[in-house]
């Protein structure tokens, strides 16, 4: 069966990574969470005091970019985790501190350039499911399957809150998470470099009222269509 490239883009907290992981597992493809990569760079910036308020010190970051190694590891259960310079930082990159700053770091052109180059290398032999914001528009404009995922901000905030609660984070309120979701939508859609937008040839998946099983079937069906054509 021919191998294809699958690009899954869309708003934050739409369940993109859950659906992408499940799809990759079912079809035996490699899964890449590009949001985690931007989160890893953000953590590096925070640890090295390169963010003041809503400003990234781009000069300092430029001098350091070659010292930032972003890779993925896999634990015994088969779960992927992000490594920053060899350290498993999966837990830290999901916290509110990184979530609050990642959009401004992801808007820095030199960061995007470095991550896009890395992503293209990861996907150069196809057989990949990559999720992010600019995969179908910038990273793999020729991807055979492009999906643009969306859901209402309230539903997305509730999903993110449930995820945090399940990991034992009980301090954050629904309003804070909703604010973070809406703020990230705004920054992601209005940034100068590779803003979040649907590729012209992407299919829209609004999963506000869809179960996980329905969504998985929908994706499998789209995949089958493309590999058997
Ligand atoms: O998918 P996520 O919430 O983990 O993404 C974190 C941030 O990274 C989000 O604010 C947008 C940014 N991002 C991006 O700009 N481009 C990508 N391909 C993936 C994520």
């Amino acid at each position: 069966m021919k191998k294809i490239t699958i690009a899954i883009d869309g708003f934050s907290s739409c369940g993109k990574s859950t659906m992408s992981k499940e799809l990759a597992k079912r079809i035996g493809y490699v899964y890449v969470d590009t949001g985690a990569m931007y989160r890893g760079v953000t953590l590096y910036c925070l640890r090295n005091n390169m963010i003041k308020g809503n400003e990234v010190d781009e000069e300092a970051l430029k001098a350091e970019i070659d010292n930032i190694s972003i890779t993925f590891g896999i634990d015994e259960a088969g779960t992927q985790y992000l490594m920053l310079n060899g350290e498993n930082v999966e837990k830290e990159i999901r916290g509110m501190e990184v979530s609050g700053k990642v959009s401004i770091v992801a808007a820095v052109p030199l960061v995007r350039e470095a991550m896009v180059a890395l992503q293209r290398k990861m996907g150069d032999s196809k057989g990949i499911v990559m999720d992010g914001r600019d995969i179908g528009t910038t990273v793999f404009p020729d991807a055979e399957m492009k999906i643009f995922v969306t859901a209402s901000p309230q539903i997305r905030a509730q999903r993110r809150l449930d995820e945090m609660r399940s990991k034992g984070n009980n301090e954050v309120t629904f309003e804070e998470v909703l604010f973070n979701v809406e703020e990230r939508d705004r920054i992601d859609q209005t940034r100068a470099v590779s803003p979040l937008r649907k590729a012209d040839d992407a299919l829209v998946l609004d999963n506000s009222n869809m179960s996980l099983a329905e969504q998985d079937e929908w994706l499998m069906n789209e995949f089958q269509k493309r590999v058997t054509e």
Side-chain angles (χ1 to χ4, degrees), residues 7 25 31 41 44 57 60 65 74 86 91 98 104 106 108 111 127 166 190 199 205 211 218 228:
K25 199 165 106 191
Y31 163 64
V41 177
Y44 187 92
D57 183 343
I65 195 86
I74 297 186
K91 191 149 184 262
V98 170
I104 58 167
V108 176
V111 172
S166 74
T190 56
L205 170 62
S211 71
W218 187 91
T228 51

Side-chain angles (χ1 to χ4, degrees), residues 169-228:
N169 182 341
N170 293 315
E171 283 127 52
V172 169
T173 65
F174 174 79
E175 284 69 28
E176 282 170 328
V177 180
L178 180 62
F179 178 79
N180 180 257
V181 164
E182 291 183 324
E183 190 57 11
R184 281 206 286 154
D185 285 358
R186 190 185 62 75
I187 300 175
D188 292 346
Q189 287 176 291
T190 56
R191 68 170 172 237
V193 187
S194 293
L196 169 66
R197 71 168 182 86
K198 184 184 102 52
D200 295 337
D201 52 351
L203 277 181
V204 174
L205 170 62
D206 182 338
N207 66 11
S208 300
N209 299 304
M210 253 175 149
S211 71
L212 287 180
E214 282 167 346
Q215 180 175 275
D216 291 343
E217 281 321 302
W218 187 91
L219 282 168
M220 269 311 278
N221 187 36
E222 290 303 327
F223 170 71
Q224 293 296 353
K225 275 195 233 166
R226 283 161 181 82
V227 290
T228 51

Side-chain angles (χ1 to χ4, degrees), residues 136-186:
T137 51
T138 304
V139 183
F140 295 120
D142 297 329
E144 291 86 348
M145 176 165 161
K146 296 184 187 179
I147 308 295
F148 190 84
V149 196
T150 178
S152 78
Q154 284 75 12
I155 285 186
R156 290 187 281 134
Q158 189 60 51
R159 287 180 187 158
R160 174 91 11 144
L161 189 69
D162 292 345
E163 190 189 341
M164 288 171 141
R165 294 272 188 270
S166 74
K167 288 180 183 160
N169 182 341
N170 293 315
E171 283 127 52
V172 169
T173 65
F174 174 79
E175 284 69 28
E176 282 170 328
V177 180
L178 180 62
F179 178 79
N180 180 257
V181 164
E182 291 183 324
E183 190 57 11
R184 281 206 286 154
D185 285 358
R186 190 185 62 75

